[in-house]
Amino acid sequence: MSTSKTYNPGQSEDKWYHFWEENGCFRSTPDERPPYTIVIPPPNVTGRLHMGHMLNNTIQDILIRRKRMEGFNACWVPGTDHASIATEAKVVKMLRAKGVKKSDLSRDEFLAHAFKWKDTYGGIILKQLRKLGCSCDWDRTRFTMDEDYYQAVIKVFCDLFDKGYIYRGLRMVNWDPEGLTALSDEEVIYKEKRGKLYHVRYRIEGSENEWVTIATTRPETILGDTAISVHPKDTRYQHLIGKSALVPLLNRPIPVIADNYVEMEFGTGCLKVTPAHDINDYEIGQRHNLETIDVLNPNGTMSKAARMYVGEDRFIVREKITEDLRAAGHIVQVEDHINQVGHSERTDAIIEPRLSLQWWVRMEDLSKPAYKAVMDDTVKLFPKKFKNTYQHWMENIKDWCISRQLWWGQQIPAFYLHSEKELEEENRQYFVAPTPEEALEKVRAATGKNLNPNDLYQDPDVLDTWFSSWLWPFQVFKGITDPDNKELGYYFPINDLVTGPDILFFWVARMIIASYEYKNERPFNNVYLTGLIRDELGRKMSKSLGNSPDPLALIDLYGADSVRVGILMSSPAGNDLKFDTPLDLEKNGLHSKLCEQGRNFCNKIWNAYRLVSGWETSDSAPTETESLALDWIQGRVAEVKLELEDHFKKFRISDALLVTYKLIWDDFCSWFLEIMKPPYGERLSGSTQRQVTDVFEELMQIAHPFVPFISEEVWQNLRERKPNETIMLTELGQVDPDTLDRQLLKDFEFITKAVTAIRAFRNEKGIKNNESIQLYVNTPSEDLFTRYNTVLNKFLNIEKIVFAEEGPNPSGTVMVETSKIFIPLPEMDLKAEREKINKEINRLESMLTGIEKTLGNERFMSNAKPAVVEKKLKTKADTHEKIKLLTEALESLG
């Protein structure tokens, strides 16, 4: 039995995690128990543990550990996402460092390198989650490029294509010039950037002195202009409609057209139209049959179509073309401008709108069941405020671009004829099938030709990563590839999903869509949306800002339990958490008051264990005080268990932690153990010691989901255990509300209030703890003071308690609910005491005057909410009562 003076979290955590894994405590197989299933939001295979992962996975671990102890067959499925863009970028960078270019490799050679990289580095984050205490069923670890998962994605693509939901089309996309791939709208992060607004004038063809002026933030795209547009009712420009303007520097004529999209009041009322480089311009171009000139290469350099600056980077050209336009007399004005600029979520490159032939999913009809499921609370969102956000997005849903110009990922199962490779891309025939063999059969049937496999080639693009992860809740149980298997029927739908609100749309909503399409039911019952972790300035924690601590360093410094407590202490559902590590970590060193609070909590538990385990016992019967205190603490434990049931039902995880924290710190350690502590040199009843141990064990069970390591350590040491026995597989047990002795709890609450108030009085009056005091009590609850006399004396060093209407003179007065407690004062400076009381009376009377003035204001009374008025009236009554008590205290001083 360990009784070391200090708790060593590092030693304990490694020991118990190894013990849990060795004994298969995290494993789950279907049985007769009710299942409780959660699936990890799969982190990128490139990932390292960050603070967001810490919060998200701590909450999941709390949920799964609690459900195990409630008797459920708890299954937490871990795994990683292949993360096409991020992983390919890592592999390309790794190869470049070795002097190898991606372009020098075949697809198969590159994928071999990618899988080797994944095998070497891809499981790091899952190993790191073990340090946090995550009790995942590691035998079930899934990867979105596992063979059966890969086949599921391909099967879904083909099915949706056959149903008419997937199509191939030339449309404007967000283009990542660094990742060289299309992005969905949700993968674009908008950042506020300081830039320039360039006012450029275009000469009207055939005129020497007539010009129109436009404003642009991207002057390099001028070379791709194919029209100038004005509003049809703008009288300033109606005479120009149908004429031509000349593109600056190129002198290429472009038409002046009229379109309602143009706002007459905005800027000059003239708009340059570049259909290849702006979604709105593209739509104008479609309406007016404008030419499309793409002046940018995929990598962000100028294309041959630009006719100038060919091969140079777009941002260098921005500077060059500005100088050339100025030299040619086309610059009217350049002003500072703040703009929201789209960046690639994965590479952070500034995205370019680009016209591109891509694969799309028609979302409007496909999404309807998922929309209904959340609106009618078949799938519940916590907190509820996100329901409005979900509704807005689903009602304005756009088609989903699912193709990515990468090699790492599920290759699109579309096949083309080599004989048509010289045709324009959009004119080539394609055949969608799960395998090349099935595609060949389709080609033969369509063409009537006896072609062979070498006559076909597969679409080189891969599918958007989210197109695989939207199958996650059921494909982790092989729901597509083996739809009738026993595990799917047992574990699916999963119970709860814990994730961040930033992926509510491009993961959560899509999972619901896929589940209704392929399983005809919801994928999960509840979605708990955590807040984002921010620094003390309110900025989102990120590596790029350097304001995010290394979670593993925090664990090394404080212990995993302490960090779990710290990160949850101020993290209510859906609200952002301000985490208090230093903004300049290098300068100030790593520390966190929140984690220190967590460490103090763990130390409090350990010190309580040392105290209890150090008591010597006797064969004597429990005293009346011991029995009374035991009845109370057992009632408090039961009461808190009921509170916790309500908190967990409503996903108030931080509130659940706080209730547990107060039960252990305040009720058990500060009150109960102090009452139980035998006087120096005396022994505790052996029966009482056993019951105290029972309570301590139950507290460790309650605390275990929050602080799994120290709770296991203490629980194991409180009694002798079997070799493979563990707290995490014990049952919490339920509480019948009707068995609670609520009067006992109410009485003890009164006594603790009295002790707290009298202690504060002693401290204020300078009465030392070793000085005994007398209490003169005017109370309707004499029996309470009599019954709890020994409890009061434990904390207050009471000489005697007298029931009387008044106390001797001079006395101080303490009010506890409706009871007046008079405490004789020692010799003191009565003049100074009178001045002190008079000063407080004056302050309260001044406050009372203000309250009465507010309540006498008709406007306030007619406009204020009833609850506000009620609060004001209560404050008025309380202030009256305080003044009355202070006046009585003043009179008692003579």
Side-chain angles (χ1 to χ4, degrees):
M1 185 176 286
S2 173
T3 53
S4 59
K5 189 173 182 180
T6 57
Y7 173 64
N8 184 333
Q11 192 176 69
S12 174
E13 289 164 7
D14 289 342
K15 173 180 68 179
W16 291 119
Y17 201 89
H18 179 72
F19 174 84
W20 293 328
E21 281 203 285
E22 282 290 300
N23 287 281
C25 298
F26 307 153
R27 294 193 195 110
S28 173
T29 54
D31 58 26
E32 72 286 348
R33 291 174 295 166
Y36 176 81
T37 319
I38 58 176
V39 294
I40 200 170
N44 286 353
V45 73
T46 60
R48 298 290 189 276
L49 196 64
H50 60 59
M51 295 304 290
H53 292 135
M54 290 277 282
L55 172 61
N56 183 285
N57 287 283
T58 294
I59 291 169
Q60 288 178 85
D61 195 51
I62 289 168
L63 293 176
I64 203 78
R65 286 180 182 271
R66 182 174 171 84
K67 287 297 182 181
R68 278 195 197 98
M69 299 174 79
E70 288 179 346
F72 287 83
N73 185 348
C75 178
W76 183 7
V77 182
T80 50
D81 186 282
H82 64 278
S84 293
I85 299 172
T87 305
E88 183 145 329
K90 291 270 188 185
V91 175
V92 168
K93 184 177 179 181
M94 179 266 293
L95 291 171
R96 192 183 300 133
K98 295 179 178 179
V100 179
K101 294 180 181 177
K102 177 186 171 183
S103 56
D104 295 336
L105 301 174
S106 69
R107 188 185 195 109
D108 287 343
E109 288 171 336
F110 178 82
L111 289 177
H113 284 290
F115 273 107
K116 185 177 179 181
W117 185 94
K118 176 259 179 189
D119 291 340
T120 304
Y121 303 104
I124 288 177
I125 191 166
L126 298 183
K127 291 184 177 71
Q128 292 173 330
L129 288 175
R130 289 167 164 84
K131 294 289 290 181
L132 186 60
C134 292
S135 54
C136 301
D137 185 345
W138 298 110
D139 293 341
R140 293 183 176 275
T141 302
R142 303 305 306 273
F143 177 50
T144 52
M145 286 274 279
D146 286 342
E147 181 58 31
D148 70 287
Y149 206 109
Y150 192 111
Q151 294 307 318
V153 174
I154 298 304
K155 189 172 182 179
V156 165
F157 180 96
C158 295
D159 179 68
L160 291 177
F161 177 82
D162 290 341
K163 290 174 179 174
Y165 286 122
I166 286 182
Y167 65 96
R168 186 168 177 255
L170 185 67
R171 295 179 54 175
M172 189 68 70
V173 298
N174 302 298
W175 185 262
D176 180 343
E178 187 172 320
L180 298 178
T181 182
L183 304 173
S184 67
D185 289 346
E186 293 79 23
E187 292 169 308
V188 177
I189 307 299
Y190 286 90
K191 302 179 185 180
E192 193 174 87
K193 291 282 186 180
R194 293 184 177 274
K196 302 289 184 183
L197 187 63
Y198 304 86
H199 296 259
V200 182
R201 65 176 188 166
Y202 293 56
R203 187 164 63 85
I204 299 299
E205 188 179 29
S207 170
E208 291 300 321
N209 54 12
E210 191 167 17
W211 306 76
V212 290
T213 300
I214 59 90
T216 181
T217 58
R218 301 159 69 208
E220 66 277 10
T221 63
I222 285 173
L223 302 175
D225 287 352
T226 56
I228 295 289
S229 184
V230 299
H231 194 279
K233 294 183 180 179
D234 194 332
T235 55
R236 294 172 296 175
Y237 304 116
Q238 279 187 337
H239 68 289
L240 296 179
I241 297 171
K243 293 187 177 181
S244 294
L246 298 175
V247 175
L249 304 182
L250 295 177
N251 287 326
R252 173 167 51 80
I254 56 176
V256 178
I257 60 173
D259 194 278
N260 287 319
Y261 173 77
V262 182
E263 297 179 36
M264 287 187 285
E265 299 79 16
F266 185 77
T268 63
C270 289
L271 178 75
K272 65 186 285 295
V273 183
T274 318
H277 299 287
D278 182 275
I279 182 61
N280 297 308
D281 289 9
Y282 175 71
E283 290 172 359
I284 293 172
Q286 291 291 292
R287 287 195 290 273
H288 296 272
N289 295 315
L290 297 177
E291 183 184 3
T292 299
I293 302 174
D294 188 350
V295 299
L296 287 174
N297 291 316
N299 65 357
T301 59
M302 303 304 287
S303 71
K304 291 179 180 179
R307 294 169 52 189
M308 299 180 70
Y309 318 109
V310 175
E312 296 189 60
D313 183 79
R314 54 187 166 152
F315 297 118
I316 293 172
V317 172
R318 184 172 297 177
E319 300 298 323
K320 285 187 174 183
I321 197 171
T322 300
E323 291 307 311
D324 291 343
L325 288 168
R326 183 177 282 112
H330 290 284
I331 294 289
V332 176
Q333 179 187 358
V334 177
E335 56 183 320
D336 291 332
H337 182 69
I338 295 176
N339 198 17
Q340 292 293 324
V341 179
H343 290 67
S344 168
E345 182 190 31
R346 298 300 181 202
T347 67
D348 202 41
I350 293 177
I351 62 103
E352 287 287 345
R354 179 178 174 81
L355 196 60
S356 182
L357 190 64
Q358 301 287 344
W359 291 89
W360 305 81
V361 179
R362 301 183 202 276
M363 297 297 286
E364 186 176 357
D365 291 337
L366 197 60
S367 65
K368 285 177 181 176
Y371 171 78
K372 182 178 181 297
V374 172
M375 290 302 101
D376 66 14
D377 288 331
T378 300
V379 175
K380 294 184 177 69
L381 303 185
F382 293 88
K384 289 183 179 179
K385 66 180 182 179
F386 288 110
K387 190 172 176 179
N388 291 332
T389 314
Y390 182 92
Q391 179 181 13
H392 174 76
W393 188 78
M394 292 293 275
E395 288 178 351
N396 296 278
I397 197 165
K398 297 177 182 177
D399 286 358
W400 175 14
C401 177
I402 57 170
S403 45
R404 300 291 181 266
Q405 288 62 57
L406 303 164
W407 283 352
W408 176 246
Q410 291 93 1
Q411 191 172 355
I412 289 174
F415 298 83
Y416 305 83
L417 296 167
H418 274 295
S419 59
E420 295 185 355
K421 247 189 173 180
E422 299 305 315
L423 297 178
E424 289 292 329
E425 199 176 354
E426 57 265 36
N427 294 329
R428 299 172 198 167
Q429 294 183 82
Y430 55 85
F431 302 86
V432 171
T435 64
E437 292 75 22
E438 291 171 86
L440 187 59
E441 290 303 314
K442 284 190 173 185
V443 173
R444 286 170 176 168
T447 63
K449 296 178 181 178
N450 189 25
L451 301 176
N452 61 59
N454 293 331
D455 293 318
L456 300 182
Y457 68 95
Q458 189 171 350
D459 194 308
D461 292 352
V462 298
L463 288 158
D464 177 16
T465 298
W466 299 108
F467 194 83
S468 55
S469 60
W470 74 330
L471 310 179
W472 190 251
F474 46 89
Q475 185 50 32
V476 293
F477 301 111
K478 301 186 178 180
I480 295 292
T481 48
D482 186 10
D484 299 319
N485 78 82
K486 178 183 176 182
E487 291 206 337
L488 180 71
Y490 182 74
Y491 291 116
F492 182 82
I494 68 170
N495 296 78
D496 302 320
L497 178 75
V498 180
T499 189
D502 51 333
I503 55 173
L504 175 60
F505 310 128
F506 51 111
W507 190 45
V508 178
R510 288 172 180 162
M511 283 190 290
I512 303 173
I513 292 169
S515 185
Y516 275 102
E517 180 65 21
Y518 288 101
K519 297 290 132 192
N520 199 30
E521 61 180 320
R522 62 189 175 185
F524 26 71
N525 303 336
N526 306 297
V527 181
Y528 176 96
L529 297 155
T530 67
L532 300 175
I533 300 185
R534 300 185 180 277
D535 65 20
E536 289 184 301
L537 297 179
R539 301 175 304 175
K540 182 179 176 181
M541 281 192 170
S542 70
K543 291 180 183 177
S544 59
L545 287 175
N547 62 347
S548 178
D550 177 358
L552 295 178
L554 279 174
I555 290 173
D556 288 343
L557 183 60
Y558 293 105
D561 287 335
S562 303
V563 176
R564 287 165 69 114
V565 170
I567 206 168
L568 277 174
M569 269 297 180
S570 55
S571 180
N575 293 329
D576 291 353
L577 155 69
K578 282 190 177 180
F579 200 71
D580 62 341
T581 48
L583 297 174
D584 190 337
L585 291 167
E586 288 188 14
K587 180 179 178 183
N588 298 304
L590 181 63
H591 61 270
S592 161
K593 289 181 181 177
L594 288 169
C595 293
E596 283 174 12
Q597 188 177 359
R599 182 169 61 188
N600 292 342
F601 180 54
C602 293
N603 287 337
K604 191 79 169 178
I605 292 172
W606 186 252
N607 289 334
Y609 157 67
R610 292 182 63 241
L611 177 68
V612 170
S613 63
W615 286 340
E616 295 186 0
T617 60
S618 69
D619 294 332
S620 61
T623 66
E624 186 179 347
T625 301
E626 289 168 0
S627 298
L628 197 63
L630 278 164
D631 287 344
W632 167 72
I633 194 65
Q634 288 163 356
R636 273 297 290 144
V637 170
E639 186 177 39
V640 165
K641 277 187 167 183
L642 291 173
E643 286 183 57
L644 288 171
E645 282 181 24
D646 186 58
H647 285 317
F648 275 100
K649 184 179 178 182
K650 296 170 182 173
F651 288 89
R652 295 194 297 242
I653 311 299
S654 293
D655 292 342
L657 170 62
L658 195 58
V659 166
T660 303
Y661 181 95
K662 288 180 177 177
L663 173 66
I664 293 172
W665 190 292
D666 296 337
D667 297 324
F668 184 71
C669 295
S670 300
W671 293 104
F672 176 72
L673 291 184
E674 193 64 31
I675 295 169
M676 287 297 181
K677 190 164 61 177
Y680 182 75
E682 296 187 18
R683 293 170 180 257
L684 192 71
S685 160
S687 172
T688 299
Q689 164 79 325
R690 287 189 292 276
Q691 291 183 76
V692 171
T693 301
D694 290 342
V695 172
F696 209 158
E697 281 186 338
E698 195 167 8
L699 289 176
M700 291 302 92
Q701 285 182 298
I702 292 169
H704 177 72
F706 303 102
V707 284
F709 295 107
I710 192 169
S711 57
E712 182 78 81
E713 181 77 30
V714 169
W715 185 86
Q716 292 281 356
N717 282 298
L718 282 171
R719 283 196 171 99
E720 290 296 322
R721 307 291 179 189
K722 296 174 184 176
N724 61 348
E725 202 172 357
T726 169
I727 190 174
M728 69 178 287
L729 298 182
T730 60
E731 287 205 22
L732 274 172
Q734 292 186 321
V735 175
D736 181 354
D738 295 334
T739 62
L740 278 185
D741 186 345
R742 298 189 185 277
Q743 187 59 51
L744 172 65
L745 295 170
K746 185 178 178 183
D747 291 348
F748 211 95
E749 184 181 6
F750 174 86
I751 293 300
T752 57
K753 283 181 181 177
V755 170
T756 302
I758 294 168
R759 276 177 162 176
F761 179 87
R762 291 183 69 137
N763 186 54
E764 181 188 345
K765 303 303 181 186
I767 304 172
K768 295 178 181 178
N769 291 333
N770 60 4
E771 296 179 39
S772 63
I773 58 172
Q774 299 175 0
L775 303 183
Y776 290 78
V777 186
N778 182 355
T779 177
S781 308
E782 287 187 15
D783 62 316
L784 276 181
F785 284 88
T786 302
R787 194 176 344 137
Y788 287 91
N789 181 22
T790 54
V791 174
L792 290 166
N793 199 41
K794 272 268 188 179
F795 296 99
L796 297 172
N797 191 8
I798 299 170
E799 182 182 325
K800 65 178 179 178
I801 296 177
V802 179
F803 296 106
E805 289 190 5
E806 294 183 354
N809 196 358
S811 293
T813 307
V814 172
M815 193 78 183
V816 182
E817 294 180 5
T818 57
S819 299
K820 290 181 184 177
I821 303 171
F822 305 101
I823 304 172
L825 294 168
E827 292 183 14
M828 61 171 69
D829 185 342
L830 293 181
K831 181 181 177 183
E833 186 64 15
R834 289 190 197 98
E835 287 177 356
K836 183 178 178 181
I837 294 174
N838 271 317
K839 184 177 180 181
E840 180 62 10
I841 289 172
N842 290 336
R843 186 188 73 80
L844 290 170
E845 286 178 338
S846 176
M847 189 171 85
L848 187 62
T849 301
I851 294 170
E852 289 173 337
K853 185 178 179 181
T854 300
L855 291 170
N857 185 319
E858 288 184 17
R859 179 178 290 180
F860 170 79
M861 295 300 287
S862 60
N863 293 327
K865 294 179 179 178
V868 175
V869 174
E870 186 180 340
K871 188 175 180 181
K872 284 282 182 188
L873 288 169
K874 186 178 185 308
T875 305
K876 177 184 174 182
D878 291 345
T879 307
H880 267 301
E881 186 62 30
K882 288 175 184 176
I883 291 171
K884 180 184 173 186
L885 286 171
L886 286 169
T887 303
E888 290 173 355
L890 192 63
E891 290 170 355
S892 72
L893 294 176

